[in-house]
């Protein structure tokens, strides 16, 4: 009987995984693949905000300014997405103010992706959707923003360096998640 129970698929709600880190570190591509492997829903904070306000991020920055966009991001984290079974890719500046690192951490397991500025530049050069990097010297801007944001990133979760092979990054995050998840489960059992 016990053996049979153990074989039942575990469909209990699982904590969300939040992917954080600078623009162009691969949060979206990694997140999609990770969600597929874990059979989780994939959610992207920018896409959800764009859907809610029927406006592109770029337009939101132009019309309402960055500060308003940051409020939208906070609303998204506070109440704009499901609480479980999601991989949530978060915009690069989402955790970089106030107590956002602690807020995101309280929602699930968060992993911060770090890549070299040169790799970031290569990835983001594929489109001009990112208003903060539409400047004359984007590499300098990337370095400057990373320096400003790193203290927030370091408060936000487990930091990892991305691998050129995306699958390795996905596997790394899976291992982190399983470790957190099992430790958490053990804590709950101990409490009972
Ligand atoms: C931003 C990152 C972008 C987007 C907006 C601002 C930032 O998201 O939210 O352009 O401040 O780093 P990605 O990190 O998904 O590019």
């Amino acid at each position: 009987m016990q053996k049979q129970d153990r074989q039942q698929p575990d469909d209990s709600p699982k904590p969300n995984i939040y992917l954080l880190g600078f623009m162009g570190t691969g949060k979206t591509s990694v997140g999609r693949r990770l969600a597929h492997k874990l059979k989780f829903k994939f959610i992207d904070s920018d896409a959800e905000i764009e859907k809610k306000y029927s406006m592109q991020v770029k337009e939101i920055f132009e019309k309402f300014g960055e500060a308003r966009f940051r409020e939208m991001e906070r609303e998204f984290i506070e109440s704009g997405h499901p609480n479980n079974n999601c991989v949530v890719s978060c915009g690069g500046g989402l955790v970089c103010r106030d107590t956002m690192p602690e807020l995101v951490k309280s929602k699930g397991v968060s992993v911060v992706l770090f890549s070299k500025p040169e790799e970031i530049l290569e990835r983001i050069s594929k489109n001009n959707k990112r208003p903060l990097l539409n400047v004359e010297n984007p590499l300098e801007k990337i370095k400057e923003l990373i320096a400003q944001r790193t203290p927030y990133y370091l408060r936000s979760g487990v930091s990892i360096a991305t691998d050129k092979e995306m699958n390795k990054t996905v596997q790394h995050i899976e291992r982190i998640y399983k470790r957190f998840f099992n430790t958490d489960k053990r804590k709950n059992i101990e409490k009972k």
Side-chain angles (χ1 to χ4, degrees):
M1 184 64 188
Q2 252 182 358
K3 206 170 186 184
Q4 242 179 12
D5 278 350
R6 246 183 266 137
Q7 283 167 352
Q8 294 293 323
D10 176 10
D11 52 9
S12 59
K14 313 275 184 324
N16 286 345
I17 305 180
Y18 294 85
L19 298 185
L20 310 167
F22 203 74
M23 298 172 252
T25 48
K27 290 165 293 186
T28 305
S29 329
V30 166
R32 280 188 198 287
R33 202 168 287 188
L34 183 65
H36 181 76
K37 282 185 89 177
L38 297 173
K39 299 194 173 59
F40 275 19
K41 187 175 165 68
F42 175 76
I43 301 183
D44 178 276
S45 66
D46 287 341
E48 293 303 307
I49 290 171
E50 289 183 336
K51 225 187 317 175
K52 181 168 175 187
Y53 294 92
S54 308
M55 229 185 254
Q56 288 188 344
V57 168
K58 211 173 142 188
E59 287 177 78
I60 299 175
F61 268 72
E62 281 161 14
K63 287 206 179 140
F64 304 116
E66 184 178 345
R68 177 72 188 105
F69 176 70
R70 300 299 172 201
E71 281 169 26
M72 293 173 183
E73 289 187 313
R74 178 180 265 277
E75 282 160 24
F76 165 79
I77 290 294
E78 276 175 342
S79 56
H81 69 290
N83 288 327
N84 300 100
N85 296 64
C86 293
V87 174
V88 187
S89 166
C90 297
L94 184 143
V95 284
C96 301
R97 46 183 243 147
D98 312 325
T99 51
M100 287 301 281
E102 289 69 32
L103 177 64
V104 174
K105 268 203 303 200
S106 73
K107 296 276 174 178
V109 176
S110 41
V111 178
V112 191
L113 273 53
F114 280 91
S115 305
K116 291 197 185 94
E118 292 73 14
E119 282 170 26
I120 289 176
L121 180 64
E122 205 184 300
R123 290 211 201 97
I124 61 116
S125 301
K126 289 176 192 142
N127 66 56
N128 69 346
K129 279 191 193 160
R130 293 163 172 110
L132 291 178
L133 299 178
N134 279 338
V135 293
E136 209 166 301
N137 190 339
L139 186 60
E140 274 315 299
K141 188 71 187 175
I142 290 169
K143 288 179 182 169
E144 184 192 314
L145 283 174
I146 289 178
Q148 280 170 16
R149 291 176 172 188
T150 296
Y152 288 97
Y153 289 147
L154 295 180
R155 263 168 53 200
S156 299
V158 179
S159 299
I160 65 162
T162 56
D163 196 285
K164 280 239 157 58
E165 275 178 58
M166 200 208 295
N167 263 336
K168 287 199 179 154
T169 306
V170 173
Q171 281 165 11
H172 192 166
I173 300 172
E174 254 187 298
R175 283 198 299 274
I176 291 169
Y177 183 64
K178 288 190 175 143
R179 205 171 62 216
F180 264 84
F181 186 51
N182 288 334
T183 331
D184 226 50
K185 255 197 197 158
R186 264 207 304 278
K187 268 194 226 146
N188 281 336
I189 292 166
E190 279 158 20
K191 261 192 236 159
K192 278 179 192 166

